[in-house]
Amino acid sequence: MSQEQLDILKRALKREKSARKAAETILEEKSRELYKTSQRLEHLLDEKSSQLQGIFENIVDAYVVMDIYGNVLKFNEAATKLFGYDIDKEAVNVVDLIYKEDYQYAMLSYMDLQTKGFFKDYEARVHTKFGQVRWVHINASIILDKNKKPIAAQGIVRDITDQKASEEKLIKSESRLSSLILNLDTGVLLEDEDRKIVLTNKKFCELLHIPLDPESLKGQDCTNASNQSKVLFENEDGFVSRIEYVLKNKKTVLSDELVMKNGAVLERDFVPIIKDDIYRGHLWAYRDVTLNRTYSKRLEAQKQKYSNIIANMNLGMVEVNNEDEILMINQSFSEMSGYTETELLGKKGVDVFLVDKFKDIIYKENSKGQNDESNSYELEIKTKSGETRHWFISGAPNYDVNGNVTGSIGIHLDITDDKRNTELIEDQKRELDVIVNSSPIGIVLTQYGQIIKTNSTFQEMLGYAENQLNALTIKELSLPEDYPDSKVFIDKINTGEIDNFTINKRYKKIDGSVIWAKTNVNAVRDIHGNIKYQVALIEDITSEREKTLIIDLINNLTKSILGKIDINEIARQIVNNIAHYLDSEDCVIYLINHDNETLEQVAVYGEKLDEDNKIRKRLIVPIGEGIVGNVVKTATSKLIKDTSEEYIYIAGDKRRFSQIAVPIISSGRVIGVIDSKHKDENYYTQEHVKALESIASLVAIKLRTALNIRERKKAEAKNEDLRIELEKSNDELQEYAHIVSHDLKSPLRSISALVSWIKEDNSGKFDKTSLLNFDLIGTTLDRMELLISDILTYSSIGSETLIDQEVDLNLLVDDLKQILYVPEHITITILNTLPTIKGDKTKLQQLYQNLLSNAIKFNDKEQGLIEINVEEKRSFYLFSIKDNGVGIDKKYHDKIFKIFHSLNKSKESTGIGLSIVKKIVNLHDGEIWLTSKVNEGTTFYFTLKK
Amino acid sequence: MSKILKVLLIEDDTIEVMKLNRAISSLKLKHLIIEANNGEEALEFLEKKETLPDIILLDLNMPKINGLEFLAILKKDDTLKYIPTIILTTSNNQKDLLECYKIGVAGYVLKPLRYEDYVFKIEKLFMYWSMNEVIKL
């Protein structure tokens, strides 16, 4: 029952009640009036009674009069109708009418009637004649006689059964309604015109997060409620302003959408309650539509997604009827085929698109479609432009509502390009396979290090069969020493930093030997960048590497020993370079010590060196002993694959299992050995031997030279010692010469003094002969003095030289001309200007003095001519002193320079003068010689360095 | 006027001593000659410091302490180093000459071979030194 209906009922009820009340009031007043005035107006009674009777008889409600025993005296028409009894025909007692359960209540009311004289608002059930139970409302009063003795009672009985029922209904529906409202899934808030809450429900509290019982909210003022609740909503201000707006307008508003901060979406209705054109309040209804919203949104998104997918897939869709006539196509199909929908409608696809040979297929397939089967097939078709395309078609039957097949729907996908690509890929794959298999480079495909595929080149390279390789990993084929280098790159590939790298590394062949290969690794990635495969291109570079290594070795070695002369340094460079080339941790150079026929380590590499790079234990091997000693003896290289099989092996610092030893041969003689050992057996190869032999011959000369230099240095050091010693003894000799000359000169002076004194003391006593003899003593003393001086000069020439003085020979000769006694008849001329040279001035003066004095002394001509000349040569000066004197016989030319070989024993000549000259010239790195003709003259030549 | 010099002659050769004495007397010079046969004797005399000579005539070639050694000792003494010392020697060794001047000598006179030449040199030597102012200690 709606609120409106309720209201109507209520209003009707109210109206009736008030009408009855008015009537009852009138009745009471009248009866009381009647009673009071009955006596006074007795005479009027009858009149009045009849009047009253008329009134009562004519009122709508039942009017009953009974005696004091309850016997009904009078029913009006309404009462007769209500109770069903015709009191004229049958006697009725009211007790018979009372509904049993209401009997007590009826009795109480009857007591009231008796004591008070009336009762009011008695509501109880009664039995009608026909067994019906009716609700009645009774107001009753006592009728008294003239003696105020009750003689009867009268009552107005109203049938309220319908009213009662409708009231009950109302109560029921009200309670139903409120419980409905209370439990409604819509939040309801009913406010009166003053915004006081009339009604609200749980849902409302729940939706707006009000932690209270809805009942307790009744009567609360909502004026400020929107401000309290706004925090729940996304748009706080919007929420408040909207409420204000709606309240102001007082117009019905439906489905306002409110988004809450917790993601919920509410829908709100506003219904104003207007009664009799007066605003009485309003109703707010809140619904949670979150699910609806999100669901529809999701649905929308999915729809969008699938339509996108279909659009992007370019799937052509065609609907046909059972006759294969086209009923509908989509845009994609139109694009695929080149036809518009209008062009195709009603046509058979088979006729439009197919070349004859395919028609059978489509007929067959179409019949399948109609036989309730889905099917897929590939077709070659012609588009409108005549182009041949490949379509992949998937068909399914189409049904009507009754489940009958009405035709089929076909999905068409143009696979022409894919097909072409697939073919192309197939072709390329075949070509690639050919290339891979005939490639001169080994190719390996790996996944997580596991070999998946190899080509024949790689198989041959390592000597494995394909299936053997497929069971191996790259790691198993590699050497552990190479891991660190590879790992650096592998890590970079794994992190995506690089896509490929090239590395030179070793692989183990099936026979255990090792090859070097240039390995180019490429990562093949999936679309996520994860590595799917690795493709390695592997090129055997063992022999090239060998060559390069040898060339590098020779280059590096040559460079490193260039200009070096120290034997230890050279040997050290050799072992370092060779060890690097051999990739060995051991290398030694032995040199032969011929003094004791042994081999001595001059340079070692690796562990044989101590912290200061000194040889830990300098091994000395007798020639002929051990492998190295044997190499010397036989002058041939030795390659030992396993030293444990060699009885002559000499273990050095530690046991090593393979060894290589090559003699160093210079001028046909073994001067040393290059030796290297390795911890592994079978390490050295014939290539190594060849390389080392090349190196041995390359360094042999250098080592020989270095050895010679070492020898020479030893000799030089010895010479230096001797020279120092000689110098010392020279100096001593010099001193000695001085002392001797002093000791010799002193007696001469004494003799001179004594002779003088004898002469003085015996003046006039000696005869002429004696005096002459005294003179002879004097001359002899002079000669003795000169001899001593000359010897002293000669012996002094070697020492105390100040050879790097700047000496102007012109000045020097001019000075000499002043000092020397030059007789009148002799002329000294200087032809060319003499140079300034470096030398010892005193000694150079001595040189010229001796030569000039000889030239003067031995000139027998009337006009003596002495010519001093110089000629400038490239690195020296050629000096000459020419005279026209006595000349020297050729046979004396050598002798004259020798000491004490005076040609003319005279008082002025000691025979030392030319010896001194020669010695001075030699001291200045010059030569002296002469040309002479007896009686014609002599020319002395001498050279002095520039 | 020439003054009379007190001369210390250090000479091991008797004839050389005689030569000087005879030269002085023949030259009629009044100089006082103090003779020392060797360096030790000379040092002994000099250490007394009572009568220090005006000049010293020193022979280089001497036994025991030679002339250069004696000179070095002399030059190290705060008093004696002021006494002019003249070398009288037969050695014309450059080394000796340099060494002497380096240590500090007042003259270097070579003994000539002939006695006449010797007298001539001695005369000039004394003439020179008798005209010089000498330090009186």
Side-chain angles (χ1 to χ4, degrees), chain B:
Chain B
M1 271 308 289
S2 65
K3 30 180 164 314
I4 291 163
L5 297 167
K6 215 189 292 173
V7 180
L8 175 62
L9 174 66
I10 306 165
E11 176 62 76
D12 61 326
D13 192 323
T14 320
I15 294 173
E16 285 296 323
V17 180
M18 285 166 63
K19 269 168 77 182
L20 184 73
N21 284 331
R22 184 159 176 138
I24 284 176
S25 69
S26 65
L27 289 168
K28 296 182 175 40
L29 297 174
K30 302 282 190 259
H31 303 304
L32 176 64
I33 306 297
I34 304 150
E35 294 166 19
N37 277 320
N38 51 55
E40 286 86 348
E41 226 180 275
L43 286 172
E44 235 169 80
F45 170 76
L46 289 168
E47 272 164 14
K48 291 175 194 165
K49 301 198 176 170
E50 288 161 6
T51 49
L52 287 175
D54 296 323
I55 60 169
I56 296 170
L57 294 177
L58 175 65
D59 183 20
L60 282 182
N61 297 75
M62 289 187 302
K64 296 184 183 171
I65 303 174
N66 71 30
L68 285 171
E69 284 162 356
F70 176 80
L71 193 61
I73 294 166
L74 203 64
K75 289 296 165 188
K76 274 176 196 155
D77 190 296
D78 281 339
T79 316
L80 305 179
K81 66 180 175 189
Y82 298 112
I83 306 170
T85 304
I86 299 104
I87 304 296
L88 205 55
T89 180
T90 52
S91 171
N92 60 350
N93 189 343
Q94 286 286 313
K95 214 170 92 183
D96 286 344
L97 191 61
L98 284 171
E99 193 63 25
C100 284
Y101 277 109
K102 193 173 148 195
I103 299 170
V105 290
Y108 194 100
V109 178
L110 276 178
K111 291 175 188 165
L113 176 64
R114 290 178 184 273
Y115 176 67
E116 300 80 47
D117 299 338
Y118 175 79
V119 175
F120 177 79
K121 278 195 176 182
I122 289 299
E123 185 189 8
K124 300 293 178 289
L125 188 147
F126 280 121
M127 196 184 285
Y128 172 81
W129 281 108
S130 62
M131 285 192 294
N132 267 292
E133 290 305 314
V134 290
I135 299 161
K136 292 291 169 190
L137 294 159

Side-chain angles (χ1 to χ4, degrees), chain A residues 584-813:
Chain A
S584 167
E585 53 190 26
D586 175 78
C587 185
V588 182
I589 284 190
Y590 294 89
L591 285 180
I592 291 174
N593 184 346
H594 286 291
D595 294 345
N596 50 11
E597 291 297 297
T598 55
L599 280 161
E600 192 182 325
Q601 289 183 337
V602 289
V604 301
Y605 175 83
E607 293 174 12
K608 289 190 170 100
L609 284 175
D610 65 15
E611 296 76 20
D612 302 326
N613 278 341
K614 297 261 163 46
I615 299 174
R616 235 178 249 284
K617 186 187 162 209
R618 200 179 280 269
L619 197 63
I620 294 172
V621 182
I623 291 173
E625 277 183 30
I627 289 159
V628 174
N630 239 276
V631 166
V632 176
K633 207 173 160 192
T634 57
T636 47
S637 305
K638 222 156 167 36
L639 175 65
I640 289 136
K641 292 194 179 295
D642 184 356
T643 56
S644 59
E645 290 171 4
E646 291 283 331
Y647 63 96
I648 55 171
Y649 176 83
I650 297 172
D653 52 328
K654 70 192 224 187
R655 181 89 205 186
R656 295 186 174 87
F657 283 97
S658 53
Q659 186 174 2
I660 186 168
V662 172
I664 305 168
I665 302 171
S666 171
S667 315
R669 284 179 69 202
V670 176
I671 61 164
V673 177
I674 300 170
D675 171 57
S676 173
K677 294 178 192 136
H678 197 273
K679 61 179 169 51
D680 298 336
E681 289 168 28
N682 210 5
Y683 181 76
Y684 297 106
T685 62
Q686 281 302 327
E687 274 71 33
H688 288 148
V689 175
K690 277 186 217 157
L692 259 54
E693 282 174 349
S694 307
I695 294 304
S697 64
L698 183 79
V699 300
I701 303 162
K702 191 84 192 176
L703 283 173
R704 176 82 263 165
T705 314
L707 273 175
N708 288 345
I709 288 169
R710 188 167 74 169
E711 291 303 314
R712 201 179 71 205
K713 283 225 169 121
K714 274 187 194 163
E716 274 173 1
K718 208 170 177 181
N719 283 350
E720 179 63 12
D721 291 347
L722 281 175
R723 195 189 62 74
I724 290 165
E725 212 172 310
L726 193 67
E727 207 166 71
K728 214 169 116 193
S729 58
N730 267 347
D731 285 349
E732 280 168 8
L733 199 64
Q734 199 74 47
E735 283 306 303
Y736 180 70
H738 279 287
I739 292 161
V740 167
S741 69
H742 170 81
D743 288 354
L744 290 175
K745 279 177 176 179
S746 294
L748 296 184
R749 272 147 191 74
S750 298
I751 293 166
S752 175
L754 290 168
V755 169
S756 292
W757 294 340
I758 292 167
K759 272 164 75 182
E760 239 174 61
D761 293 345
N762 300 287
S763 185
K765 289 180 184 169
F766 293 114
D767 59 8
K768 218 176 173 181
T769 316
S770 294
L771 287 174
L772 205 64
N773 285 341
F774 277 127
D775 286 347
L776 279 174
I777 293 171
T779 313
T780 311
L781 288 172
D782 285 341
R783 194 174 147 67
M784 191 70 189
E785 175 79 8
L786 187 63
L787 202 60
I788 292 165
S789 294
D790 280 355
I791 291 169
L792 190 60
T793 307
Y794 181 80
S795 60
S796 301
I797 286 167
S799 65
E800 301 160 23
T801 45
L802 302 153
I803 200 108
D804 50 0
Q805 290 173 299
E806 292 278 335
V807 185
D808 185 342
L809 293 177
N810 269 318
L811 280 178
L812 185 138
V813 174

Side-chain angles (χ1 to χ4, degrees), chain A residues 331-394:
Chain A
Q331 183 58 31
S332 285
F333 188 81
S334 172
E335 282 162 15
M336 278 166 70
S337 62
Y339 293 98
T340 63
E341 187 166 17
T342 348
E343 286 173 311
L344 292 176
L345 287 184
K347 300 234 172 75
K348 289 194 177 184
V350 183
D351 301 333
V352 179
F353 298 111
L354 287 192
V355 276
D356 291 341
K357 59 172 176 171
F358 289 111
K359 285 188 177 168
D360 286 343
I361 302 178
I362 199 80
Y363 283 134
K364 210 162 73 195
E365 296 295 342
N366 276 349
S367 67
K368 266 191 210 164
Q370 285 156 18
N371 291 341
D372 242 12
E373 292 172 43
S374 296
N375 53 0
S376 304
Y377 49 94
E378 252 183 67
L379 263 188
E380 192 182 301
I381 58 93
K382 267 204 161 59
T383 63
K384 190 181 180 184
S385 62
E387 196 188 346
T388 304
R389 305 288 297 182
H390 287 271
W391 285 357
F392 180 79
I393 302 166
S394 187

